[in-house]
Amino acid sequence: MVTTDRGRVAEVAARLAAAGVPTPAVDARWLVDHVVEVAGSCDGCGGALLDGLVARRAAREPLQLVLGRTWFRELELRCAPGVFIPRPETEIVAGVAIDEASGLDAPIVAEPCTGTGAIALSVAVEVPGARVVATDLDPAAVDLARDNLGRVLAGEAGPPLAADQVEILAGDLLAPLADDLRGRLDVLVSNPPYLPAADRDRWEPEVADHDPDRALVGGPDGHEVVGRLLALAAEWLRPGGLVVVEIDERRGEDARAAAVRAGLVDVTLVPDLTGAQRAVRARGAR
Ligand SMILES: C[S@@+](CC[C@H](N)C(=O)[O-])C[C@H]1O[C@@H](n2cnc3c(N)ncnc32)[C@H](O)[C@@H]1O
């Protein structure tokens, strides 16, 4: 952020605070900087633009949708209504996959539940030799992930990418993958829906009104998709291949048990920066 217009930021922050926005000062800086970047200043047309964006944020539309973009590891990604907005804690989950893939020669990486494509595209740009196949059940997510892929390929969204490195396919978990990849994946990484339906009442308006339900809720008890992914990992990973799946921090032991039941080995839980159990990590049996 490069804000110089402190008075304007303070005005915007006061409007956002009055509307109950949880991080008014930070959001105000982002909004003012965005308007300066796209309109040159917050006067005249820029002022009208800023006013409209602040009104949207004050109505509790997520900042990333108001800006139309977000940042994930080394990438600037487009965000769009109806598609899950990537969260900072997922950067750690992507990092586990990237660290693993970086040590391998031409690794094959699968990322079911890709949303904007954040994890798949990060793996691909940070591990130049990797082949990455990503899927999503939601056509809106597939379109947005392909759009973000196109922007990365055009050099508009981050480090360079080879044209044939990433495929984004529509469908359920690993069902769209070519059958000859079965037993050959080096890494399976995913941030699937993992919250229970009963949590809905507790969500902030930014989540409840804007992230799609199918991106958040993993079946009635929340754990259905995590369990399915771990079972698929046992089938699709090569011996010794790595799976890392983001989880509900309250379900660490359930995730560990599901991984063991699936026949995976070296099962551990991965903490995020707050110390919460953020992912389950395991290997295919050797
Ligand atoms: C929590 S969001 C994560 C998106 C992205 N990976 C990220 O971290 O920002 C979960 C995504 O999984 C997709 N999804 C839900 N069930 C799925 C399934 N059975 N197969 C493939 N994708 C699914 C949703 O459409 C949504 O885009």
Side-chain angles (χ1 to χ4, degrees):
M1 284 191 276
V2 293
T3 318
T4 49
D5 194 344
R6 291 199 181 153
R8 187 85 64 167
V9 171
E11 271 168 42
V12 171
R15 250 176 99 183
L16 297 180
V21 171
T23 51
V26 175
D27 289 21
R29 285 184 62 196
W30 277 110
L31 290 165
V32 169
D33 279 353
H34 176 78
V35 169
V36 171
E37 186 185 327
V38 303
S41 86
C42 291
D43 299 322
C45 294
L49 174 63
L50 180 64
D51 198 47
L53 298 182
V54 174
R56 287 171 58 190
R57 185 68 191 103
R60 305 296 297 271
E61 188 173 337
L63 180 69
Q64 298 90 333
L65 289 184
V66 174
L67 300 177
R69 57 186 172 158
T70 192
W71 287 264
F72 188 90
R73 292 183 68 93
E74 300 181 12
L75 299 173
E76 182 190 308
L77 298 168
R78 245 183 216 145
C79 293
V83 179
F84 183 85
I85 298 164
R87 306 296 206 268
E89 56 270 27
T90 304
E91 294 183 330
I92 289 170
V93 179
V96 173
I98 288 164
D99 288 348
E100 175 77 7
S102 299
L104 302 171
D105 185 30
I108 305 175
V109 180
E111 195 238 333
C113 304
T114 197
T116 57
I119 298 176
L121 293 170
S122 293
V123 173
V125 298
E126 293 186 51
V127 189
R131 170 182 170 196
V132 185
V133 190
T135 74
D136 204 290
L137 205 51
D138 180 0
V142 171
D143 285 351
L144 183 60
R146 285 180 178 157
D147 182 52
N148 277 321
L149 168 60
R151 295 181 57 253
V152 178
L153 285 171
E156 293 166 9
L161 185 64
D164 55 356
Q165 248 187 288
V166 181
E167 260 181 296
I168 294 162
L169 306 172
D172 179 50
L173 301 185
L174 299 184
L177 268 63
D179 212 47
D180 67 357
L181 290 180
R182 200 181 288 268
R184 288 180 52 214
L185 297 183
D186 294 293
V187 180
L188 194 165
V189 53
S190 185
N191 173 22
Y194 55 68
L195 296 175
D199 273 11
R200 276 197 194 98
D201 294 349
R202 286 189 247 147
W203 294 339
E204 294 286 346
E206 284 85 349
V207 176
D209 300 341
H210 295 279
D211 280 323
D213 231 48
R214 69 187 152 266
L216 298 169
V217 176
D221 87 334
H223 221 241
E224 187 184 307
V225 186
V226 171
R228 287 182 61 209
L229 279 169
L230 293 169
L232 284 168
E235 196 186 322
W236 285 77
L237 287 175
R238 65 160 168 77
L242 183 94
V243 57
V244 57
V245 178
E246 187 166 322
I247 57 169
D248 182 340
E249 64 193 69
R250 300 164 294 183
R251 303 296 295 271
E253 290 314 316
D254 293 336
R256 190 201 298 274
V260 171
R261 257 197 323 275
L264 297 165
V265 298
D266 300 345
V267 182
T268 54
L269 299 174
V270 181
D272 65 19
L273 293 175
T274 70
Q277 294 177 337
R278 184 51 57 208
V280 59
R281 178 186 192 279
R283 292 195 179 275
R286 292 177 186 90

